[in-house]
Amino acid sequence: MSVFAGISRKQVIGAILVLAFILVLYLSLTVVIYFAISVAFTIALSPLMEVLDRVEIRKIKVPDWLKALIGLVSIYAFFYIIFLLIVPPLMRELSAISELSMSEIYKNLEKPIQNIEKWADNLGIKPVGYASNREYVMAKMSEYLNISNVTGTITGLVSVMGNLLVALFSISFITFFLLKERRIATSVVLAFTPDRTTERMARVLWQIKQSLQRYIVGVILQISLITIIVSFGLNFFKVNNAFIIGFFAGLINVIPYIGPLIGTAVGTLVAFGTTPGLMAPAVWQIHLIKVLSVFVIVQLMDNFIFQPLIFSKSVNAHPLEIFFVILIAGNLFGIVGMIVAVPAYSIFRVIGREFLSEYKWIRSITQER
C-alpha cells in the first residue's frame, strides 16, 4: 500500500501552498523584517491605544486615524530623545579622538604595551611580517585610531541612507495602518481560515498577541534596567559617557548569549578610550577590574533576577530547548534570527498546542512547565 494513499488532493495542494508561502517569506526577508518591526511597535503601543480609546472630547471619541498618528509620533519622539542623548556626546568623543596626538597615546599606553610584549615573548608569539610584537601593536593602533578610518566609516554610513529612508517609510506606513485598523491582521488571517476552525484560530491569535505583548514589554523593561544599572555603576567610578555605554549594553543584550559579551567588550573599550586617567600605567589594572565588575554584576542580575521574573510568563520553555532554538535560528538567519527566535518559538508553541496536540512530540514541547 502506498504511503500516500490516505492523502487527498486538497491536502497536497494545501501543503504546496504552505511551502510556497514559506519560500516567499524567506526570499522576502527584508519585507518580513519591516512587518515584524511594525507589529512589535503596534503591540508595544497597545496600552497607549487602549488609553486613547477611552478619551472623549466633548463626548466625541478620538478618530482612529488621529490615535494612529499619535502612536506613530510617540515612536518618533522616543527615538529622537535617544538620538539627542547619544549622538551629540558620541560626536564630541569622535572629534576629540581625531585631535589626539598619536605620540601622546603611545606614551600613555607604554606600560600596557610593554606588558603585552613581554607576555607574547614568553609564549613565543611573534607576528609574521613584523620585527617585534611592539611594532605589530603600534602598527595596528595607528590603523584603528587613524582619522581616515573614521571618515571612511562615515562615508559608508552615508551610502546606506537611501535604504534607511526606505525602511523608515515602509515601517511607518505599515505601523500607521496596523494602529488605525487594529483588527486588520486578525481579519486577514480569519478570512483564510476554514469556518470549522475560525473560533480556535481567533483564540490562538489572542493568545499570540498576549504572549508577544508580555515579551516586548519585558524586553523594554530589561533594556531599561540594564541601562540604568550600568550607567549608575560606571558613573560611580567616574567613567565618561556612562549613559551611552549603559544604553548600548542594554540594547545589545537582546541578542542572546553573545550580546552581553559584545556589550562588555565594547563598553570597556569605550570607557578606557574616552576617560582620561584610566590608562595610567600604575592603575589601569584596577580600573579594568572596576569596569568589568559593573558588567559582571549586571549580567548576574540579568540571568538570575531579571530574566526569570520578566520572561517566566511569556516563554514557558526549558532553557536547553530555548538554547537549541536560538542556535538553529542563528545558523539560518544570523543575528536577526537569534533576536526573533524566542518570540517566534512562542508563537509556534501556541499554534502547536491548539492545532497539533494529537502529535505526541508537539504535546511534549508545548506542555506547561
Side-chain angles (χ1 to χ4, degrees):
M1 181 180 292
S2 174
V3 294
F4 300 104
I7 301 177
S8 66
R9 180 180 178 183
K10 185 177 180 180
Q11 289 175 321
V12 172
I13 294 175
I16 293 173
L17 290 176
V18 169
L19 291 175
F21 179 71
I22 294 174
L23 179 62
V24 170
L25 289 181
Y26 181 78
L27 296 176
S28 307
L29 186 59
T30 302
V31 178
V32 174
I33 292 173
Y34 292 165
F35 183 76
I37 294 173
S38 299
V39 170
F41 285 156
T42 304
I43 293 174
L45 289 171
S46 294
L48 175 61
M49 294 295 104
E50 291 173 2
V51 171
L52 292 176
D53 286 338
R54 296 192 293 268
V55 173
E56 293 185 2
I57 302 174
R58 295 181 179 180
K59 296 184 179 181
I60 300 177
K61 289 187 175 294
V62 180
D64 290 337
W65 67 267
L66 184 56
K67 288 185 286 190
L69 186 61
I70 292 172
L72 203 57
V73 169
S74 67
I75 294 174
Y76 290 145
F78 171 78
F79 284 105
Y80 181 67
I81 292 172
I82 296 298
F83 177 87
L84 291 180
L85 290 173
I86 292 179
V87 175
L90 187 61
M91 295 304 296
R92 286 196 296 269
E93 293 300 333
L94 287 175
S95 177
I97 291 173
S98 67
E99 295 172 0
L100 287 176
S101 169
M102 292 303 297
S103 60
E104 182 181 349
I105 294 175
Y106 293 149
K107 182 179 179 181
N108 292 334
L109 296 178
E110 179 69 23
K111 186 64 175 179
I113 290 175
Q114 288 179 358
N115 293 334
I116 294 173
E117 184 179 15
K118 183 178 179 181
W119 172 78
D121 288 339
N122 290 336
L123 293 177
I125 300 174
K126 186 175 181 180
V128 178
Y130 295 90
S132 65
N133 288 296
R134 173 181 290 271
E135 182 182 339
Y136 174 77
V137 172
M138 293 296 188
K140 288 300 178 182
M141 284 178 58
S142 298
E143 178 183 340
Y144 291 124
L145 293 176
N146 196 317
I147 188 60
S148 61
N149 289 334
V150 178
T151 304
T153 301
I154 295 175
T155 303
L157 291 175
V158 172
S159 68
V160 300
M161 283 301 294
N163 291 334
L164 290 178
L165 289 175
V166 171
L168 179 63
F169 174 79
S170 302
I171 293 171
S172 300
F173 187 82
I174 297 170
T175 303
F176 176 81
F177 280 99
L178 289 179
L179 290 172
K180 180 177 179 292
E181 303 173 29
R182 273 168 277 169
R183 291 191 56 83
I184 186 172
T186 301
S187 300
V188 170
V189 174
L190 293 180
F192 288 92
T193 304
D195 293 338
R196 65 180 183 277
T197 58
T198 298
E199 185 177 345
R200 296 171 66 188
M201 179 58 74
R203 185 165 57 249
V204 164
L205 293 176
W206 183 84
Q207 291 175 358
I208 289 174
K209 179 183 177 182
Q210 295 299 311
S211 178
L212 291 179
Q213 187 169 342
R214 288 193 299 267
Y215 180 79
I216 292 171
V217 172
V219 168
I220 294 173
L221 182 58
Q222 182 188 35
I223 292 173
S224 302
L225 289 172
I226 292 176
T227 300
I228 292 170
I229 298 174
V230 172
S231 301
F232 177 81
L234 294 180
N235 191 61
F236 179 78
F237 291 125
K238 304 296 188 295
V239 174
N240 291 344
N241 304 308
F243 176 78
I244 296 177
I245 298 172
F247 181 74
F248 177 79
L251 198 61
I252 202 71
N253 196 76
V254 301
I255 303 176
Y257 306 119
I258 65 172
L261 298 177
I262 296 173
T264 301
V266 173
T268 303
L269 290 174
V270 172
F272 275 78
T274 61
T275 306
L278 292 188
M279 289 298 293
V283 295
W284 71 272
Q285 297 97 330
I286 297 175
H287 290 307
L288 178 62
I289 292 173
K290 289 179 179 178
V291 172
L292 289 177
S293 67
V294 172
F295 288 100
V296 171
I297 291 172
V298 168
Q299 281 309 306
L300 290 174
M301 294 176 67
D302 183 45
N303 291 329
F304 294 103
I305 300 176
F306 300 160
Q307 291 188 22
L309 290 177
I310 294 173
F311 300 115
S312 60
K313 293 184 178 179
S314 59
V315 185
N316 192 13
H318 193 279
L320 186 60
E321 189 178 339
I322 293 296
F323 175 78
F324 280 115
V325 168
I326 292 172
L327 199 63
I328 294 171
N331 286 330
L332 291 176
F333 304 107
I335 297 296
V336 175
M338 297 181 72
I339 295 173
V340 303
V342 174
Y345 186 60
S346 299
I347 295 174
F348 169 76
R349 284 169 58 87
V350 171
I351 296 174
R353 187 164 53 243
E354 186 67 38
F355 289 106
L356 303 172
S357 58
E358 66 270 18
Y359 297 103
K360 183 178 179 180
W361 69 275
I362 292 290
R363 289 199 305 271
S364 176
I365 66 174
T366 59
Q367 65 182 351
E368 297 294 334
R369 302 183 188 280

